[in-house]
Amino acid sequence: MRFVSCFIQGLEVATVELLPSVELRHCFRLLHYTFKGAGHTVKALKDRMWDIAKASHMARFQALIKELQDFDEEAFKLLAKKPPMYWCRSQQENM
């Protein structure tokens, strides 16, 4: 079973306590809104972020992360704060 969280405070803790076998994922759309709120409104950045989130192989994920780092270091650092196992397809066990 999977549960998609929208980063609602306390929801993840409750989910882990009540349903320990559930795989948690975060809503990437909300993460994108966080980027927009931090001033990252360039469409090219949005497209790169979505490409990273949809990457289904680790090698592709790593290549796209490196491209993002070269494109916008600040955006890379902001994205690096969130564990990719929650928002990136290549990092999830059961797709």
Side-chain angles (χ1 to χ4, degrees):
M1 180 189 301
R2 293 184 183 124
F3 183 77
V4 178
S5 166
C6 288
F7 299 113
I8 298 172
Q9 193 172 38
L11 184 59
E12 288 180 26
V13 174
T15 302
V16 170
E17 288 177 5
L18 297 173
L19 305 165
S21 63
V22 169
E23 177 183 335
L24 290 176
R25 293 188 183 176
H26 293 168
C27 175
F28 191 76
R29 182 168 283 132
L30 186 59
L31 185 58
H32 174 250
Y33 290 138
T34 302
F35 269 70
K36 285 175 65 175
H40 300 285
T41 57
V42 178
K43 181 164 179 357
L45 178 60
K46 174 187 171 186
D47 293 342
R48 287 173 193 265
M49 287 178 54
W50 279 102
D51 286 345
I52 293 168
K54 293 185 293 184
S56 58
H57 298 285
M58 183 60 91
R60 178 79 175 140
F61 169 79
Q62 290 172 339
L64 290 169
I65 283 289
K66 177 65 176 142
E67 286 179 19
L68 176 66
Q69 187 175 15
D70 294 342
F71 181 76
D72 188 333
E73 181 72 28
E74 187 179 330
F76 167 77
K77 289 178 182 177
L78 188 60
L79 190 60
K81 290 180 182 180
K82 303 291 182 186
M85 66 181 274
Y86 294 125
W87 55 264
C88 182
R89 187 175 289 171
S90 70
Q91 306 288 316
Q92 297 166 353
E93 290 181 20
N94 301 316
M95 294 189 298

